[in-house]
mmCIF file of all heavy atoms in Angstrom:
data_model
loop_
_atom_site.group_PDB
_atom_site.id
_atom_site.type_symbol
_atom_site.label_atom_id
_atom_site.label_comp_id
_atom_site.label_asym_id
_atom_site.label_seq_id
_atom_site.Cartn_x
_atom_site.Cartn_y
_atom_site.Cartn_z
ATOM 1 N N THR S 105 -2.693 -31.334 11.142
ATOM 2 C CA THR S 105 -2.686 -32.369 10.030
ATOM 3 C C THR S 105 -3.786 -32.136 9.058
ATOM 4 O O THR S 105 -4.904 -31.555 9.370
ATOM 5 C CB THR S 105 -2.954 -33.798 10.687
ATOM 6 O OG1 THR S 105 -4.234 -33.788 11.317
ATOM 7 C CG2 THR S 105 -1.741 -34.118 11.650
ATOM 8 N N VAL S 106 -3.549 -32.619 7.815
ATOM 9 C CA VAL S 106 -4.579 -32.624 6.614
ATOM 10 C C VAL S 106 -4.790 -34.058 6.267
ATOM 11 O O VAL S 106 -3.868 -34.705 6.090
ATOM 12 C CB VAL S 106 -4.036 -31.717 5.516
ATOM 13 C CG1 VAL S 106 -5.043 -31.834 4.404
ATOM 14 C CG2 VAL S 106 -3.784 -30.280 5.937
ATOM 15 N N GLU S 107 -6.076 -34.309 6.158
ATOM 16 C CA GLU S 107 -6.397 -35.769 5.713
ATOM 17 C C GLU S 107 -6.583 -35.773 4.301
ATOM 18 O O GLU S 107 -6.924 -34.839 3.640
ATOM 19 C CB GLU S 107 -7.718 -36.153 6.431
ATOM 20 C CG GLU S 107 -7.664 -36.130 7.918
ATOM 21 C CD GLU S 107 -8.963 -36.400 8.584
ATOM 22 O OE1 GLU S 107 -9.815 -37.215 7.965
ATOM 23 O OE2 GLU S 107 -9.246 -35.803 9.553
ATOM 24 N N MET S 108 -6.187 -36.974 3.588
ATOM 25 C CA MET S 108 -6.249 -37.050 2.096
ATOM 26 C C MET S 108 -6.981 -38.294 1.722
ATOM 27 O O MET S 108 -6.809 -38.788 0.576
ATOM 28 C CB MET S 108 -4.874 -36.884 1.573
ATOM 29 C CG MET S 108 -3.930 -37.906 2.164
ATOM 30 S SD MET S 108 -2.309 -37.796 1.325
ATOM 31 C CE MET S 108 -2.675 -38.260 -0.310
ATOM 32 N N GLU S 109 -7.850 -38.848 2.560
ATOM 33 C CA GLU S 109 -8.517 -40.050 2.150
ATOM 34 C C GLU S 109 -9.621 -39.800 0.984
ATOM 35 O O GLU S 109 -9.822 -40.639 0.215
ATOM 36 C CB GLU S 109 -9.387 -40.718 3.367
ATOM 37 C CG GLU S 109 -8.485 -41.343 4.438
ATOM 38 C CD GLU S 109 -7.889 -40.262 5.407
ATOM 39 O OE1 GLU S 109 -8.311 -39.080 5.179
ATOM 40 O OE2 GLU S 109 -7.110 -40.552 6.268
ATOM 41 N N SER S 110 -10.151 -38.567 0.863
ATOM 42 C CA SER S 110 -11.105 -38.197 -0.038
ATOM 43 C C SER S 110 -10.993 -36.728 -0.301
ATOM 44 O O SER S 110 -10.435 -35.982 0.513
ATOM 45 C CB SER S 110 -12.534 -38.661 0.415
ATOM 46 O OG SER S 110 -12.906 -37.922 1.412
ATOM 47 N N MET S 111 -11.565 -36.309 -1.407
ATOM 48 C CA MET S 111 -11.699 -34.810 -1.704
ATOM 49 C C MET S 111 -12.439 -34.127 -0.588
ATOM 50 O O MET S 111 -11.900 -33.012 -0.134
ATOM 51 C CB MET S 111 -12.377 -34.619 -3.034
ATOM 52 C CG MET S 111 -12.584 -33.058 -3.370
ATOM 53 S SD MET S 111 -11.045 -32.220 -3.482
ATOM 54 C CE MET S 111 -10.462 -32.728 -5.042
ATOM 55 N N SER S 112 -13.476 -34.662 -0.059
ATOM 56 C CA SER S 112 -14.214 -34.027 1.031
ATOM 57 C C SER S 112 -13.407 -33.923 2.210
ATOM 58 O O SER S 112 -13.383 -32.861 2.916
ATOM 59 C CB SER S 112 -15.515 -34.771 1.310
ATOM 60 O OG SER S 112 -15.274 -35.999 1.785
ATOM 61 N N ARG S 113 -12.641 -34.854 2.627
ATOM 62 C CA ARG S 113 -11.814 -34.841 3.898
ATOM 63 C C ARG S 113 -10.669 -33.856 3.711
ATOM 64 O O ARG S 113 -10.271 -33.178 4.594
ATOM 65 C CB ARG S 113 -11.345 -36.258 4.297
ATOM 66 C CG ARG S 113 -12.354 -37.144 4.697
ATOM 67 C CD ARG S 113 -13.144 -36.661 5.962
ATOM 68 N NE ARG S 113 -12.271 -36.240 7.028
ATOM 69 C CZ ARG S 113 -12.514 -35.252 7.876
ATOM 70 N NH1 ARG S 113 -13.745 -34.671 7.789
ATOM 71 N NH2 ARG S 113 -11.683 -35.011 8.832
ATOM 72 N N LEU S 114 -10.177 -33.839 2.509
ATOM 73 C CA LEU S 114 -9.100 -32.969 2.178
ATOM 74 C C LEU S 114 -9.490 -31.632 2.344
ATOM 75 O O LEU S 114 -8.807 -30.694 2.926
ATOM 76 C CB LEU S 114 -8.549 -33.225 0.696
ATOM 77 C CG LEU S 114 -7.353 -32.320 0.296
ATOM 78 C CD1 LEU S 114 -6.094 -32.729 0.997
ATOM 79 C CD2 LEU S 114 -7.036 -32.503 -1.243
ATOM 80 N N LEU S 115 -10.647 -31.145 1.720
ATOM 81 C CA LEU S 115 -11.182 -29.808 1.835
ATOM 82 C C LEU S 115 -11.483 -29.421 3.257
ATOM 83 O O LEU S 115 -11.136 -28.283 3.783
ATOM 84 C CB LEU S 115 -12.322 -29.630 0.862
ATOM 85 C CG LEU S 115 -11.984 -29.648 -0.608
ATOM 86 C CD1 LEU S 115 -13.395 -29.781 -1.382
ATOM 87 C CD2 LEU S 115 -11.178 -28.611 -0.980
ATOM 88 N N THR S 116 -12.264 -30.405 3.979
ATOM 89 C CA THR S 116 -12.754 -30.033 5.358
ATOM 90 C C THR S 116 -11.471 -29.773 6.301
ATOM 91 O O THR S 116 -11.426 -28.753 6.906
ATOM 92 C CB THR S 116 -13.474 -31.180 5.820
ATOM 93 O OG1 THR S 116 -14.697 -31.318 5.013
ATOM 94 C CG2 THR S 116 -14.018 -30.889 7.362
ATOM 95 N N SER S 117 -10.619 -30.793 6.212
ATOM 96 C CA SER S 117 -9.375 -30.613 7.088
ATOM 97 C C SER S 117 -8.469 -29.509 6.644
ATOM 98 O O SER S 117 -7.857 -28.969 7.557
ATOM 99 C CB SER S 117 -8.660 -32.032 7.219
ATOM 100 O OG SER S 117 -8.199 -32.381 5.897
ATOM 101 N N GLY S 118 -8.471 -29.247 5.385
ATOM 102 C CA GLY S 118 -7.598 -28.226 4.869
ATOM 103 C C GLY S 118 -8.058 -26.792 5.364
ATOM 104 O O GLY S 118 -7.299 -26.042 5.817
ATOM 105 N N PHE S 119 -9.390 -26.610 5.250
ATOM 106 C CA PHE S 119 -9.841 -25.259 5.752
ATOM 107 C C PHE S 119 -9.891 -25.172 7.248
ATOM 108 O O PHE S 119 -9.563 -24.173 7.801
ATOM 109 C CB PHE S 119 -11.371 -25.176 5.325
ATOM 110 C CG PHE S 119 -11.584 -24.776 3.821
ATOM 111 C CD1 PHE S 119 -12.236 -25.619 2.906
ATOM 112 C CD2 PHE S 119 -10.947 -23.493 3.481
ATOM 113 C CE1 PHE S 119 -12.291 -25.207 1.550
ATOM 114 C CE2 PHE S 119 -11.039 -23.202 2.139
ATOM 115 C CZ PHE S 119 -11.720 -23.956 1.125
ATOM 116 N N ALA S 120 -10.002 -26.275 7.999
ATOM 117 C CA ALA S 120 -9.771 -26.287 9.471
ATOM 118 C C ALA S 120 -8.371 -25.848 9.755
ATOM 119 O O ALA S 120 -8.143 -25.164 10.723
ATOM 120 C CB ALA S 120 -10.252 -27.620 10.027
ATOM 121 N N ALA S 121 -7.392 -26.491 9.086
ATOM 122 C CA ALA S 121 -5.961 -26.206 9.296
ATOM 123 C C ALA S 121 -5.713 -24.666 9.053
ATOM 124 O O ALA S 121 -5.027 -24.056 9.807
ATOM 125 C CB ALA S 121 -5.155 -27.094 8.449
#
Side-chain angles (χ1 to χ4, degrees):
T105 61
V106 176
E107 301 173 36
M108 55 178 297
E109 290 81 5
S110 65
M111 175 62 77
S112 61
R113 291 304 305 153
L114 181 68
L115 291 173
T116 302
S117 60
F119 281 119

